[in-house]
Amino acid sequence: QQKVQQSPESLSVPEGGMASLNCTSSDRNFQYFWWYRQHSGEGPKALMSIFSDGDKKEGRFTAHLNKASLHVSLHIRDSQPSDSALYFCAASEHWGSNAKLTFGKGTKLSVKS
Amino acid sequence: GPKVLQIPSHQIIDMGQMVTLNCDPVSNHLYFYWYKQILGQQMEFLVNFYNGKVMEKSKLFKDQFSVERPDGSYFTLKIQPTALEDSAVYFCASSLIWYEQYFGPGTRLTVL
């Protein structure tokens, strides 16, 4: 069973719309979460990290973490065609240098102009 | 932003041969990682490396795998001998701070 599950698998939103991506962990040891974005032909690039319950906002991106339900979400407001990419949720048990990341399968986001 | 380079982008080899995947990490980074992604599946942690030593490895890091960073140059993943199930995209990552891993674009390895 995958320890990090993402939904939906794919998502299409109009330009200027809101995109909402979800991630749930089945492992209560996971305490630290990231959202990564990968454009075609490139490696994943970290968008945001979130380690505490609640919301974290960076520009158009807002992440929300609920540790009790092991659920983390990413909301992209005013979506742009350049936001079209594969989005990964990643989680780690450990704080510090031995932080290995466990990834979900990803959500493919398409923003239509 | 900081870039991690991977060479080559695609490698095709025959089963049983040796292959070395090269990673050029961000210059001042101290921690190095390899991840493996089989087509259609999630990226999975293989190994992390610091101060010349493997810190942690997963079950996917078979005995045929080895990593090194000789003289602070490329961080390499060597597979010897290769097997069909080693076909995947291998991503290298590096970090200075533990929570900021920078990933390369990946090397697609095809074992025939």
Side-chain angles (χ1 to χ4, degrees):
Chain A
Q1 181 193 4
Q2 290 176 48
K3 290 189 173 183
V4 176
Q5 296 183 308
Q6 293 186 240
S7 64
E9 286 187 14
S10 63
L11 177 64
S12 182
V13 299
E15 183 175 357
M18 172 77 84
S20 294
L21 290 69
N22 297 294
C23 173
T24 302
S25 169
S26 60
D27 189 337
R28 290 217 160 266
N29 292 317
F30 287 145
Q31 294 291 308
Y32 312 103
F33 295 87
W34 291 258
W35 283 101
Y36 276 79
R37 178 165 76 178
Q38 185 180 25
H39 285 108
S40 181
E42 300 178 5
K45 182 177 178 181
L47 271 179
M48 296 180 71
S49 59
I50 184 164
F51 303 154
S52 302
D53 278 333
D55 290 340
K56 183 178 182 181
K57 184 177 178 182
E58 292 185 4
R60 296 184 294 111
F61 300 87
T62 300
H64 177 82
L65 174 59
N66 182 327
K67 286 192 178 183
S69 61
L70 295 178
H71 181 259
V72 59
S73 59
L74 178 69
H75 306 277
I76 308 172
R77 66 170 176 81
D78 190 23
S79 297
Q80 301 298 307
S82 57
D83 294 328
S84 296
L86 194 54
Y87 288 77
F88 293 104
C89 173
S92 174
E93 296 178 30
H94 302 294
W95 173 275
S97 58
N98 59 340
K100 60 179 185 180
L101 299 179
T102 298
F103 283 84
K105 277 193 174 184
T107 292
K108 184 175 181 180
L109 173 65
S110 298
V111 181
K112 308 290 186 185
S113 57
Chain B
K3 284 197 182 295
V4 175
L5 304 177
Q6 289 189 243
I7 304 159
S9 57
H10 195 178
Q11 178 96 43
I12 302 173
I13 59 168
D14 290 323
M15 183 176 64
Q17 283 190 316
M18 181 194 77
V19 69
T20 300
L21 308 184
N22 297 295
C23 172
D24 188 7
V26 178
S27 60
N28 62 337
H29 283 187
L30 301 175
Y31 303 94
F32 311 103
Y33 314 79
W34 284 103
Y35 292 81
K36 176 183 179 181
Q37 185 177 34
I38 294 174
L39 186 64
Q41 298 185 22
Q42 70 271 30
M43 196 159 28
E44 293 188 271
F45 170 82
L46 281 177
V47 65
N48 54 14
F49 188 86
Y50 169 74
N51 199 24
K53 297 175 190 170
V54 170
M55 293 193 298
E56 187 174 357
K57 53 187 180 181
S58 73
K59 294 177 202 175
L60 297 178
F61 194 81
K62 304 181 297 184
D63 290 344
Q64 297 90 327
F65 288 30
S66 63
V67 291
E68 62 176 358
R69 190 176 188 227
D71 301 324
S73 58
Y74 285 161
F75 176 50
T76 63
L77 173 65
K78 183 184 292 185
I79 309 174
Q80 181 178 25
T82 50
L84 294 177
E85 60 265 27
D86 297 331
S87 293
V89 179
Y90 290 83
F91 290 95
C92 170
S94 70
S95 68
L96 179 62
I97 306 169
W98 72 272
Y99 54 84
E100 288 185 336
Q101 289 186 27
Y102 290 84
F103 283 78
T107 292
R108 181 176 297 279
L109 176 64
T110 302
V111 182
L112 302 176

